[in-house]
């Protein structure tokens, strides 16, 4: 049973729409296939962080992962909005999917480690919304114990800052 409530803020009513349930189902299936297809190429759970020599894709994914942690934590904590964290996690998965699909074909440069960090973070962040699914994802990633007993992830400040920003100016 999926407990997504991502269609409206908590202070507004929501009309039942089966398309929303279908969308949640498709997202969870996509995530399950993505993780299932990538697990063999990921470093073991608890592997130490690689040293220098990060590939730019790995750094971009790590940055996106930590920005997602920050946004979800803020929206669940002080803001108490349940509708935006799920869409934020979906954005992260959309960002990670092309890297996971190309993983066996590329020189690593920390990409597999960044994908493991991303998928484990997603399992943790989805726990309040889809607890049973998050437990299965956690187990498929080779993690011991329950995801519900794991500590909430902390965003690293050094990964929250963007190296480049594109600003469009129209004259």
């Amino acid at each position: 049973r999926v407990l997504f409530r991502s269609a409206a803020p908590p202070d507004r009513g929501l009309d039942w729409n089966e398309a929303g349930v279908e969308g949640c189902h498709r997202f969870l299936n996509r995530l399950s296939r993505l993780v299932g297809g990538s697990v063999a190429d990921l470093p073991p759970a608890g592997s130490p962080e690689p040293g220098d020599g990060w590939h730019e894709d790995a750094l971009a994914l790590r940055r996106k992962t930590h920005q997602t942690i920050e946004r979800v934590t803020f929206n669940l904590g002080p803001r108490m909005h349940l509708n935006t964290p799920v869409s934020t996690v979906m954005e992260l998965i959309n960002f990670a999917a092309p890297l996971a699909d190309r993983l066996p074909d590329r020189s690593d440069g920390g990409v597999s480690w960044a994908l493991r960090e991303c998928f484990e973070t997603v399992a943790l962040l989805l726990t309040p919304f889809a607890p049973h699914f998050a437990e299965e994802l956690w187990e498929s990633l080779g993690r011991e114990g329950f995801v519900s007993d794991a500590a909430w992830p902390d965003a690293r400040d050094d990964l929250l800052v963007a190296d480049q920003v594109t600003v469009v100016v129209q004259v």
Side-chain angles (χ1 to χ4, degrees), residues 1-13:
R1 192 172 128 173
V2 178
L3 302 175
F4 279 171
R5 170 89 166 94
S6 62
D11 56 348
R12 281 199 230 139

Side-chain angles (χ1 to χ4, degrees), residues 16 20 24 41 43 45 49 52 55 61 74 84 97 101 107 118 123 127 138 142 153 157 159 170-171:
W16 179 258
C24 292
D41 296 320
E49 186 175 322
D52 295 333
H55 189 276
L61 179 58
F74 177 73
T84 52
D101 290 341
S107 61
C118 171
T127 301
W138 191 252
D157 291 335
L159 292 171
Q170 181 177 354
V171 179

Side-chain angles (χ1 to χ4, degrees), residues 28-104:
L28 293 177
N29 279 336
R30 179 180 182 219
L31 178 57
S32 183
R33 282 190 312 271
L34 192 63
V35 170
S38 301
V39 167
D41 296 320
L42 298 178
S47 296
E49 186 175 322
D52 295 333
W54 287 94
H55 189 276
E56 64 185 58
D57 289 342
L59 284 174
L61 179 58
R62 294 200 71 213
R63 186 169 288 114
K64 183 72 170 172
T65 299
H66 286 268
Q67 289 169 346
T68 301
I69 294 168
E70 183 75 12
R71 286 178 58 195
V72 169
T73 302
F74 177 73
N75 282 306
L76 284 177
R79 201 163 167 233
M80 293 196 316
H81 278 218
L82 302 178
N83 61 320
T84 52
V86 174
S87 63
T88 304
V89 171
M90 288 177 172
E91 289 174 17
L92 175 61
I93 292 304
N94 289 338
F95 189 86
L99 293 175
D101 290 341
R102 295 190 323 252
L103 185 60

Side-chain angles (χ1 to χ4, degrees), residues 123-139:
L124 290 163
L125 297 179
L126 285 180
T127 301
F129 306 98
H132 297 100
F133 178 82
E135 291 293 350
E136 287 192 26
L137 191 63
W138 191 252
E139 184 179 327

